[in-house]
């Protein structure tokens, strides 16, 4: 069931009823779940931690309780569970055994961010949390470089600038929205251009959702046009730029080409 992203007032009446009536609440963080229940005056009975590191070992115990007819509620730290949190394996196992599963809809960070960012919402692809390592992020972003829609992902504040730099290289010029602390006191939407990621403030606190707009070029320059763009940048630089910088600058004259593609074209034997 969905729980507030930050503002307790977003908890629905149905969600209150479910939490109050649950025999057991499965929570990614039992302390946060307990605090929510306390803030909302919900007389919750019992909590059991259920997260990435113990999902497999807890699953059979949870299934046993469900078989006994107990009423369980599954919540994540905030928002709608399963979208970027544990739980889908448990739901799949319940479905396989014929145990009832009922969604309790409510707050969701990707949808909340989309609703106020002013970036085209349809279609969109939600990537969850990007991989922690640079190679993993590169592989993920490359796989969706040609996706005709907006991309949404969660990112830690200490990896944000690096992730946006990689995204700019791989995806090309696009609109971007960095949405932080959604529904909380210090909620902020930083709107700008992906290729100007360096203009982002150095220090951003809180939980961050990133929306990258869809590709903006409807017609892609052919290879000859891309080579002309590279040649023009190299001629103007007179040997003073490294290949990666040449590729980045050539993007403006080679519609539809990412800096990565131009770099590969430039260095191709």
């Amino acid at each position: 069931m969905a729980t507030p992203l930050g503002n307790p007032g977003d908890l629905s009446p149905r969600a209150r009823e479910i939490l109050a009536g649950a025999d057991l609440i499965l929570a990614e963080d039992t302390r946060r779940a307990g605090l929510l229940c306390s803030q909302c005056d919900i007389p919750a009975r019992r909590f059991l931690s259920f997260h990435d590191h113990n999902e497999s070992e807890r699953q059979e115990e949870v299934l046993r309780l469900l078989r006994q007819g107990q009423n369980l509620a599954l919540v994540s730290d905030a928002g709608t569970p399963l979208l970027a949190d544990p739980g889908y394996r448990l739901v799949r196992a319940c479905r396989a055994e014929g145990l009832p599963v009922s969604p309790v809809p409510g707050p969701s960070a990707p949808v909340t961010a989309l609703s106020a960012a002013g970036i085209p919402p349809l279609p969109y692809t939600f990537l969850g949390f990007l991989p922690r390592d640079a190679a993993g992020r590169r592989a993920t972003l490359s796989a969706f470089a040609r996706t005709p829609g907006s991309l949404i992902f969660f990112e830690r504040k200490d990896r944000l600038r690096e992730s946006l730099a990689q995204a700019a290289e791989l995806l090309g010029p696009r609109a971007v929205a960095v949405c932080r602390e959604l529904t909380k006191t210090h909620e902020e939407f930083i709107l700008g251009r992906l290729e100007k990621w360096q203009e982002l403030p150095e220090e951003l606190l809180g939980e961050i959702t990133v929306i990258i707009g869809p590709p903006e070029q409807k017609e892609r320059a052919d290879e000859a046009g891309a080579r002309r763009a590279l040649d023009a940048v190299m001629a103007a630089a007179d040997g003073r730029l490294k290949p990666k910088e040449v590729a980045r600058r050539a993007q403006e004259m080679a519609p539809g080409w990412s800096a990565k593609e131009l770099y590969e074209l430039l260095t191709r034997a």
Side-chain angles (χ1 to χ4, degrees):
M1 60 169 290
T3 55
L5 301 174
N7 190 326
D10 292 335
L11 188 69
S12 72
R14 182 181 171 211
R16 291 172 182 268
E17 181 181 347
I18 295 293
L19 287 173
D23 296 307
L24 180 68
I25 297 174
L26 305 176
E28 192 174 6
D29 185 330
T30 57
R31 291 170 299 179
R32 292 186 64 167
L35 178 60
L36 174 64
C37 289
S38 177
Q39 290 173 329
C40 298
D41 296 321
I42 297 172
R45 302 182 186 179
R46 292 189 299 142
F47 297 91
L48 180 69
S49 65
F50 191 86
H51 47 71
D52 283 327
H53 302 295
N54 70 4
E55 180 179 5
S56 297
E57 64 188 64
R58 283 276 160 86
Q59 181 167 300
E60 186 53 42
E61 177 184 358
V62 172
L63 290 172
R64 178 178 56 80
L65 295 173
L66 291 170
R67 295 186 197 109
Q68 293 173 356
Q70 292 200 34
N71 182 22
L72 275 58
L74 171 66
V75 299
S76 62
D77 281 350
T80 301
L82 275 71
L83 297 188
D85 305 300
Y88 90 88
R89 294 179 180 85
L90 174 60
V91 170
R92 183 174 58 187
C94 289
R95 294 297 186 190
E97 292 196 23
L99 296 168
V101 178
S102 180
V104 182
S108 171
V111 175
T112 299
L114 272 176
S115 71
I119 289 179
L122 292 174
Y124 75 85
T125 300
F126 177 52
L127 306 180
F129 286 95
L130 291 184
R132 295 181 181 182
D133 60 291
R137 289 195 298 271
R138 180 176 296 275
T140 297
L141 292 169
S142 295
F144 292 95
R146 302 293 177 85
T147 299
S150 296
L151 302 176
I152 307 176
F153 58 87
F154 298 149
E155 189 53 284
R156 289 173 54 92
K157 59 183 181 181
D158 56 336
R159 290 196 295 262
L160 178 63
R161 291 174 67 84
E162 183 178 355
S163 292
L164 291 180
Q166 284 186 296
E169 175 188 351
L170 298 166
L171 305 180
R174 302 192 188 195
V176 67
V178 176
C179 318
R180 72 177 193 91
E181 294 293 84
L182 293 172
T183 78
K184 299 178 183 178
T185 301
H186 300 292
E187 175 183 87
E188 183 179 19
F189 285 78
I190 303 174
L191 309 178
R193 299 291 307 174
L194 181 59
E195 63 272 22
K196 296 182 179 180
W197 62 269
Q198 299 97 328
E199 298 177 1
L200 194 71
E202 290 285 348
E203 292 293 334
L204 286 177
L205 302 178
E207 298 176 342
I208 296 172
T209 302
V210 177
I211 306 175
I212 296 176
E216 298 177 349
Q217 300 293 345
K218 295 184 179 179
E219 294 186 7
R220 176 180 165 90
D222 59 18
E223 184 173 318
R227 289 190 179 278
R228 286 194 295 272
L230 291 168
D231 289 342
V233 172
M234 288 190 293
D238 193 25
R240 294 189 301 271
L241 296 178
K242 294 181 179 180
K244 284 190 175 181
E245 180 63 17
V246 171
R248 189 184 68 79
R249 295 191 183 188
Q251 276 187 281
E252 297 180 7
M253 297 179 285
W257 288 70
S258 69
K260 177 177 181 291
E261 291 172 319
L262 289 167
Y263 175 79
E264 291 174 348
L265 182 62
L266 179 63
T267 57
R268 184 184 302 166

